[in-house]
Amino acid sequence: MIQERDHLLEKVTLTGKRVKLVPLEQGHVQGLFDAGNDPQIWTYLPNKMNTLEHMNELVLEALEAQENGLQVPFTIMDVQTNDIMGSTRFLNISLPNKNLEIGWTWYSPKVWRTHVNTECKYLLLRYGFEELGLIRIQFRADVRNVRSNTAILRIGAKHEGTLRKDRVLYSGFIRDTQQYSILDEEWPEVKVRLETQLLRVY
């Protein structure tokens, strides 16, 4: 159960069979840029990512948010090779209400349509519900991002509605956002669903 702020914000590594989520560090900038150096990744995200400096700024912003107790950012790595495959975060953290959001998730196109997203979400959800005692975990995605919306539904999240004119992207485009959640009482069924999906690839 959540006892104090530091328990959530401590630097934890979540390790699965093929994926591990390690605390984001500034030393990961080059590896993250190499993994994320594809414009397809950033089409629906708020930041542009054309240069190494853009990635450095993104990492510094995430680390500052963690220092201020606002986010918990992770670097996604391959267990066997330690290759960086992307990044994800806990954000919109509300400890009094025992909920947070899993977001700012992106992957190298090399691992799209593989086990990676399923295992990442499994590790994050299991930690949130079973270690932190959360009662709600939410997800958001640009309404235009069919791949992300499909992936969120595939893990078992429930669609809650559309946030209209929710965010202004770096291009100036004002996006609508789909919102989803998983509740603590739904987690056992979602857990079995994810474990079944992962068994098919292990």
Side-chain angles (χ1 to χ4, degrees), residues 84-112:
I84 290 176
M85 299 185 289
S87 184
T88 191
R89 304 182 199 177
F90 288 141
L91 65 155
N92 291 328
I93 298 165
S94 177
L95 297 188
N97 296 305
K98 297 184 178 181
N99 67 65
L100 53 73
E101 180 177 334
I102 295 173
W104 257 112
T105 303
W106 62 268
Y107 304 100
S108 164
K110 293 179 181 179
V111 298
W112 288 0

Side-chain angles (χ1 to χ4, degrees), residues 33-47:
F33 179 70
D34 292 342
N37 192 17
D38 189 316
Q40 297 179 82
I41 299 170
W42 308 99
T43 302
Y44 304 110
L45 291 174
N47 292 43

Side-chain angles (χ1 to χ4, degrees), residues 144-162:
R144 301 168 299 161
N145 192 341
V146 176
R147 184 172 53 82
S148 289
N149 284 285
T150 300
I152 293 169
L153 288 170
R154 185 172 178 269
I155 66 174
K158 305 295 186 185
H159 182 245
E160 295 181 323
T162 303

Side-chain angles (χ1 to χ4, degrees), residues 55-148:
M55 182 61 74
N56 187 57
E57 290 171 0
L58 184 64
V59 169
L60 289 176
E61 289 171 4
L63 294 176
E64 181 179 1
Q66 175 164 288
E67 184 65 24
N68 292 329
L70 302 175
Q71 299 182 4
V72 180
F74 296 93
T75 297
I76 302 166
M77 304 180 76
D78 185 290
V79 167
Q80 296 181 335
T81 66
N82 283 328
D83 289 341
I84 290 176
M85 299 185 289
S87 184
T88 191
R89 304 182 199 177
F90 288 141
L91 65 155
N92 291 328
I93 298 165
S94 177
L95 297 188
N97 296 305
K98 297 184 178 181
N99 67 65
L100 53 73
E101 180 177 334
I102 295 173
W104 257 112
T105 303
W106 62 268
Y107 304 100
S108 164
K110 293 179 181 179
V111 298
W112 288 0
R113 294 178 293 278
T114 71
H115 65 281
V116 171
N117 181 61
T118 302
E119 188 164 20
C120 284
K121 294 301 189 293
Y122 174 75
L123 293 171
L124 292 166
L125 289 165
R126 186 177 66 181
Y127 183 71
F129 287 121
E130 299 183 11
E131 299 297 325
L132 299 177
L134 300 175
I135 62 174
R136 168 189 165 87
I137 295 177
Q138 73 175 28
F139 308 83
R140 293 181 180 181
D142 190 313
V143 295
R144 301 168 299 161
N145 192 341
V146 176
R147 184 172 53 82
S148 289

Side-chain angles (χ1 to χ4, degrees), residues 5-64:
R5 172 178 176 271
D6 290 344
H7 181 52
L8 174 58
L9 300 178
E10 67 186 3
K11 292 187 176 181
V12 62
T13 295
L14 307 177
T15 304
K17 292 188 176 180
R18 300 188 183 181
V19 171
K20 62 180 176 181
L21 308 179
V22 304
L24 178 70
E25 300 176 4
Q26 194 167 2
H28 296 158
V29 169
Q30 183 66 59
L32 287 167
F33 179 70
D34 292 342
N37 192 17
D38 189 316
Q40 297 179 82
I41 299 170
W42 308 99
T43 302
Y44 304 110
L45 291 174
N47 292 43
K48 61 181 176 181
M49 198 57 54
N50 300 330
T51 67
L52 184 63
E53 182 57 30
H54 288 153
M55 182 61 74
N56 187 57
E57 290 171 0
L58 184 64
V59 169
L60 289 176
E61 289 171 4
L63 294 176
E64 181 179 1

